[in-house]
Amino acid sequence: MADPYDHDNIFAKILRDEIPAKKVYEDIHALAFHDINPQAPVHVLVIPKGPYVSLDDFLADAPDALVTGFFRAVGKVSRELGIAESEGGTGFRAMANAGSDAHQEVPHLHIHLFGGKPLGPMLVK
């Protein structure tokens, strides 16, 4: 079971404009911004506008309109960044860590979008 949502986590503070972020996209469902420690030439985080700890929590509890709007925002961001194949990019990786085994560092659902170079294997063995 996921820990309860921490309203003082860094992404909650970014959503409230208490901490600045280099935003790339925002709508009523989602906010996307550059990662402060990029792991690829393109590394953007997309977060839903709501108190969800993980993808499991989000899919179980978020209203259908938010789920749809959030995932549409992920797609829109990938196209706007030019990493989607439909926009001439060579593709991207979308990743969401959930829980301690996956090394989730911030307890707010976030999708990492990586692109701009060959990304290698999915997991280190």
Side-chain angles (χ1 to χ4, degrees), residues 72-117:
R72 288 188 189 275
V74 170
K76 185 169 186 170
V77 169
S78 73
R79 290 187 300 278
E80 287 185 0
L81 293 171
I83 56 177
E85 290 178 304
S86 64
E87 295 301 312
T90 57
F92 63 93
R93 180 171 294 153
M95 182 180 73
N97 297 321
S100 59
D101 279 355
H103 298 276
Q104 181 179 7
E105 295 179 10
V106 178
H108 185 110
L109 169 61
H110 52 288
I111 304 286
H112 294 260
L113 292 179
F114 301 102
K117 72 172 190 173

Side-chain angles (χ1 to χ4, degrees), residues 14-15 17 21-26 31-34:
I14 288 171
L15 282 171
D17 287 324
K22 189 176 173 189
K23 297 176 183 180
V24 297
Y25 178 81
E26 185 170 14
L31 172 66
F33 52 92
H34 290 277

Side-chain angles (χ1 to χ4, degrees), residues 1-100:
M1 181 175 184
D3 290 333
Y5 186 78
D6 174 8
H7 291 276
D8 287 323
N9 76 69
I10 191 168
F11 294 166
K13 290 178 179 183
I14 288 171
L15 282 171
R16 293 191 302 261
D17 287 324
E18 295 172 6
I19 295 175
K22 189 176 173 189
K23 297 176 183 180
V24 297
Y25 178 81
E26 185 170 14
D27 66 17
I28 64 169
H29 304 290
L31 172 66
F33 52 92
H34 290 277
D35 192 287
I36 61 169
N37 185 27
Q39 304 297 306
V42 175
H43 185 174
V44 168
L45 303 175
V46 186
I47 62 174
K49 289 189 172 178
Y52 303 99
V53 174
S54 67
L55 189 57
D56 180 52
D57 174 35
F58 181 67
L59 294 174
D61 297 332
D64 291 346
L66 180 57
V67 173
T68 300
F70 175 70
F71 281 104
R72 288 188 189 275
V74 170
K76 185 169 186 170
V77 169
S78 73
R79 290 187 300 278
E80 287 185 0
L81 293 171
I83 56 177
E85 290 178 304
S86 64
E87 295 301 312
T90 57
F92 63 93
R93 180 171 294 153
M95 182 180 73
N97 297 321
S100 59

